[in-house]
Amino acid sequence: MSSNSEFLWYIPNDVKTGHRGDNSGASANNLETLTAQARALEDHGWKGALIGTGWGRPDTFTVAAALAARTTTFEPLIATRPGYWRPANFAAAAATLDQLTGGRVKVNIVSGQDSLSAYGDSEGDQTQRYARTKEFMRLVRRLWTEEDVSHAGEYFQVTNSTVAPRLEPRGARRHPQLYFGGASEAAEQVAATEADVQLFWGEPLDDVAERIARLKTLSRDLDRDLPPLEFGLRITTLVRDTAEAAWADAQAKVADMARVKGAGWNDHGGPVAVGQRRLLDLQARGDVIDDNLYTAPGKFGGGGAGTTWLVGSAEEVARSLKKYRDLGITHFILSDTPYLTEIKRQGDTLLPLLRG
């Protein structure tokens, strides 16, 4: 793969035990368990991890700061929501953590539905939700790169705002990258104009190629004034020593999901978003698409990145990921459970093949 590809993992950040079959038990979200995962990521070749968000989970920014303080190279991809944060507050917090860690902060802007009233937020329909997200992203970027910012928008206002500390350019990096997901028309318009990295879930190769082409066209049509949009893949990777062992474990996991009716697997509850619907609709095309994209988990409660899995030996999964790379994917966020075991296994067996 290209030397500019990056490989992140996933830390669910959930007080409930057994997330997607993890075996950490009651210690799943204590600082020692999370630190062990972050340090293992450093030791086994990963750049960092996406840290999940949502009301009813621990505060993502606090967890990211704690883990950054206990590591030296680990880069937290901090999931955050407009409305949970206001732009100037978030810009200042992220700039502070970025300065303290020497430029290790990444940001994932989440615009899907949440328990908004629980933290005093409210919003209207999908159009309004993404309009607010677009304004949030544009204003945060301005606060990171400009001084004495004044903005009077539909959703946010600041007057003579200068964030401290000021972010230091680090090569071509002027500020933390803004990752973004979403498959609706409204979401893709936000990605095309405001995101640095558009994340896809585990769709078939042809579908991802179609979406990349559409987003590139949108970027031109909407007069994007930022560097070219980059693309990422967030997917479950079930890797074992042989294909036979991988498929046996995959089928056993799905059988267990069916037994517990998907408990612990789907942290994307509520109305089914467009991106999630695209994944669930893949079941009509078969249990296995392309070489080893497994759609059966979605039948039994798998949600988000747990809906489809790449299954196989390290060589087979690496070959599939390289095909996504050939389409233009340069950011990979992988995971499987047990989290700590798979950080080490896939770091030692899969990552060297992807970098070779």
Side-chain angles (χ1 to χ4, degrees), residues 225-246:
D225 59 359
L226 302 172
L229 182 62
E230 300 174 21
F231 303 101
L233 181 69
R234 168 72 187 103
I235 193 169
T236 296
T237 44
L238 195 152
V239 175
R240 299 294 183 266
D241 291 339
T242 65
E244 293 76 15

Side-chain angles (χ1 to χ4, degrees), residues 31-217:
L31 186 55
E32 297 309 316
T33 297
L34 296 175
T35 299
Q37 292 181 21
R39 289 177 174 167
L41 289 165
E42 290 185 323
D43 293 341
H44 293 270
W46 303 91
K47 193 165 189 176
L50 168 64
I51 303 176
T53 191
W55 189 251
R57 295 160 107 170
D59 177 72
T60 309
F61 203 99
T62 305
V63 172
L67 295 183
R70 288 192 160 205
T71 53
T72 56
T73 63
F74 170 80
E75 297 189 7
L77 175 52
I78 303 169
T80 191
R81 293 176 180 273
Y84 182 89
W85 288 87
R86 296 190 66 79
N89 303 109
F90 180 76
T96 301
L97 186 58
D98 198 64
Q99 186 265 331
L100 290 174
T101 61
R104 286 195 269 151
V105 169
K106 301 174 181 293
V107 176
N108 180 33
I109 303 294
V110 180
S111 199
Q113 295 188 2
D114 194 17
S115 301
L116 302 176
S117 61
Y119 50 87
D121 189 24
S122 62
E123 60 187 4
D125 59 18
Q126 183 191 70
T127 299
Q128 291 171 306
R129 185 166 75 248
Y130 282 105
R132 184 173 74 162
T133 297
K134 177 181 173 68
E135 188 176 324
F136 182 94
M137 294 171 76
R138 178 61 55 145
L139 181 52
V140 165
R141 195 189 305 273
R142 287 190 63 200
L143 290 163
W144 281 338
T145 58
E146 302 175 22
E147 297 184 19
D148 198 29
V149 174
S150 292
H151 171 84
E154 184 176 357
Y155 301 98
F156 305 110
Q157 298 80 38
V158 297
T159 302
N160 301 329
S161 182
T162 299
V163 165
R166 301 307 297 157
L167 288 167
E168 298 179 15
R170 301 175 185 276
R173 178 190 188 269
R174 298 182 64 205
H175 56 73
Q177 282 190 301
L178 295 176
Y179 293 64
F180 183 72
S184 68
E185 181 179 351
E188 289 191 340
Q189 290 189 8
V190 174
T193 56
E194 304 301 330
D196 295 312
V197 181
Q198 164 72 31
L199 288 175
F200 304 122
W201 279 330
E203 297 188 40
L205 292 161
D206 287 347
D207 294 15
V208 170
E210 178 186 359
R211 292 190 64 194
I212 288 175
R214 184 166 62 251
L215 283 162
K216 287 182 175 180
T217 299

Side-chain angles (χ1 to χ4, degrees), residues 218-230:
L218 269 175
S219 294
R220 292 192 297 269
D221 292 347
L222 298 175
D223 295 325
R224 177 183 174 90
D225 59 359
L226 302 172
L229 182 62
E230 300 174 21

